[in-house]
Amino acid sequence: MIHVYDISEDKEGKRLSAMLNSEAALGWERRLSESSSALDPDELQSMVALQLSEFDMLQSMFPGTGELVVDDPSILLDLREFAEKATETRPQHLDFVLNLDVENGQLHVSVNLPLEYPKSEPDIFVRSQKLSRSQQYFLNQDLMKYLKTFEVGDLCIGPAITWLQENGAKYLEEDSEKNNSSENKRLETVEAKFERLWIYSHHIYSKTKRKDILELAKEFDLTGFCLPGKPGIICVEGLARNTEDWWNRVRTWNWQKILCKQREVEEIDSQTNLSTHRRFTGFEELSSENNIRIKSNGHHVDMGDVFRYLDQHQCGYVFKEYFGVSGKVDNR
């Protein structure tokens, strides 16, 4: 059972608030570093060397201008120096896009490699102007299922590209009545699920990202909230098809670190009123208007206020998942 601090403005309330903020900060930093700290420096350097060998293979397979695109080539230099033990400074993770020609069109494959890959799962998202929204959803879902067949520690980006070369074309837009009928049946299954995603990020400062997060949530009919600052917290809820589309798009943006911490899924039927499953009435960015106190630098918030906000929406239990600490109700 997760308890919630009731933070008041008296001395005891301020003491509890300070304690909770301190514990939450420690828990957050520990959780951010636990994946990479699980590997010693030699292991991490070996992981980086493996992903570079796979990237070099992809470069040899797709040497054309505009085929394999890295936004910041300097990251490759940093990764090579780290892999060759020329530096102990941990580099940023590698992001790239592969523009893959298949029959009937082109697929844009966005790849995000954690520093610990292949010990950690990569993020891959596929889009195309010729993919309908539903086809894009199913393509990415099927690709994810394929990636789950690999063992932890296996390089899988190369095989994923081969899978897309062999299977990608069949997802591209066709007017076949047979395909539409099959697609509708799959949509009925997906839309029979209500999903709530809990996302955390190392930080959310960018005004552009914050604006896009809000607009995408409205586009996909999602409710929830975005808490900017460090750490950044996002909750989205709605039809599973919409939450997955939203997440697949957001996670491909340039983040220092972003994870889906928890998924909550409920089975529903076609007659269900979604509002009975929602815990939020709209999607908003949390601020002082929600009684969230923001510190003077604008980058950090009072964790006691966050705790209380979550509890007010029957979500207090997730605080421990995010920060590794719980509190105690103070009903003074």
Side-chain angles (χ1 to χ4, degrees):
M1 174 177 163
I2 304 296
H3 297 287
V4 180
Y5 285 114
D6 183 9
I7 307 298
S8 63
E9 290 302 319
D10 61 15
K11 291 182 179 179
E12 180 62 16
K14 290 180 179 178
R15 185 187 69 80
L16 287 171
S17 179
M19 181 174 68
L20 181 56
N21 276 295
S22 177
E23 290 179 351
L26 288 172
W28 171 251
E29 293 300 330
R30 182 179 65 251
R31 283 166 183 261
L32 276 178
S33 62
E34 64 184 3
S35 59
S36 58
S37 64
L39 299 177
D40 64 36
D42 287 340
E43 288 179 306
L44 195 58
Q45 287 165 336
S46 296
M47 295 301 102
V48 172
L50 283 171
Q51 57 184 266
L52 285 172
S53 68
E54 187 174 45
F55 180 82
D56 290 342
M57 178 196 69
L58 291 174
Q59 274 192 318
S60 67
M61 293 171 59
F62 303 98
T65 302
E67 282 190 295
L68 190 60
V69 181
V70 179
D71 285 338
D72 186 356
S74 67
I75 292 177
L76 284 170
L77 297 176
D78 295 339
L79 288 166
R80 294 190 193 282
E81 287 187 354
F82 182 76
E84 295 167 0
K85 302 184 179 181
T87 179
E88 295 183 357
T89 302
R90 296 191 178 190
Q92 295 185 48
H93 65 265
L94 178 62
D95 296 323
F96 61 88
V97 175
L98 176 63
N99 295 307
L100 183 65
D101 289 322
V102 297
E103 187 179 354
N104 300 326
Q106 187 178 75
L107 301 175
H108 306 287
V109 187
S110 298
V111 180
N112 180 314
L113 298 182
L115 205 57
E116 304 82 15
Y117 169 79
K119 280 289 183 70
S120 294
E121 292 183 0
D123 277 336
I124 306 178
F125 183 68
V126 185
R127 59 171 60 86
S128 173
Q129 292 182 345
K130 291 192 174 183
L131 282 172
S132 68
R133 183 177 160 197
S134 57
Q135 288 167 324
Q136 179 171 286
Y137 172 83
F138 292 128
L139 170 56
N140 282 284
Q141 287 294 300
D142 291 343
L143 177 58
M144 288 175 63
K145 289 177 184 176
Y146 173 68
L147 292 174
K148 293 292 185 184
T149 66
F150 288 83
E151 297 291 333
V152 174
D154 288 346
L155 292 169
C156 60
I157 303 301
I161 299 305
T162 300
W163 186 90
L164 288 169
Q165 288 175 315
E166 296 174 351
N167 299 280
K170 70 183 181 183
Y171 294 88
L172 293 174
E173 190 73 56
E174 294 180 3
D175 295 326
S176 164
E177 183 176 337
K178 178 181 178 181
N179 284 347
N180 288 338
S181 174
S182 174
E183 179 179 296
N184 288 336
K185 288 180 180 178
R186 294 185 71 183
L187 280 173
E188 288 175 6
T189 301
V190 173
E191 293 191 343
K193 293 181 181 179
F194 181 89
E195 185 175 54
R196 185 175 299 108
L197 302 182
W198 294 97
I199 313 294
Y200 67 50
S201 170
H202 180 272
H203 63 266
I204 304 176
Y205 298 146
S206 167
K207 291 182 179 180
T208 300
K209 281 182 183 173
R210 289 156 59 181
K211 178 175 176 288
D212 289 344
I213 286 169
L214 290 167
E215 291 181 351
L216 273 181
K218 293 176 181 177
E219 178 182 334
F220 290 116
D221 190 30
L222 303 178
T223 50
F225 68 87
C226 172
L227 177 67
K230 180 182 180 182
I233 301 175
I234 308 172
C235 173
V236 290
E237 57 180 10
L239 288 174
R241 173 191 174 197
N242 292 343
T243 55
E244 293 297 332
D245 279 354
W246 178 92
W247 172 230
N248 283 333
R249 191 176 300 185
V250 168
R251 70 181 183 175
T252 62
W253 300 346
N254 187 26
W255 301 93
Q256 180 169 337
K257 190 177 187 75
I258 191 167
L259 302 169
C260 180
K261 182 62 181 174
Q262 184 168 303
R263 279 182 165 86
E264 300 172 14
V265 182
E266 301 174 55
E267 299 291 335
I268 60 176
D269 59 52
S270 59
Q271 305 302 316
T272 298
N273 184 345
L274 290 184
S275 63
T276 62
H277 293 267
R278 297 185 190 272
R279 294 180 184 170
F280 303 89
T281 56
F283 191 92
E284 60 184 346
E285 180 173 289
L286 300 188
S287 64
S288 58
E289 294 181 4
N290 309 98
N291 296 316
I292 304 292
R293 286 172 287 185
I294 301 174
K295 297 183 180 180
S296 58
N297 60 10
H299 289 172
H300 298 271
V301 300
D302 188 290
M303 291 302 172
D305 294 343
V306 176
F307 213 160
R308 186 189 300 107
Y309 175 84
L310 291 171
D311 188 59
Q312 289 171 348
H313 292 83
Q314 296 79 52
C315 297
Y317 57 89
V318 299
F319 193 91
K320 189 170 185 178
E321 291 296 323
Y322 275 107
F323 303 107
V325 297
S326 56
K328 177 181 177 182
V329 175
D330 184 358
N331 292 318
R332 288 172 292 104

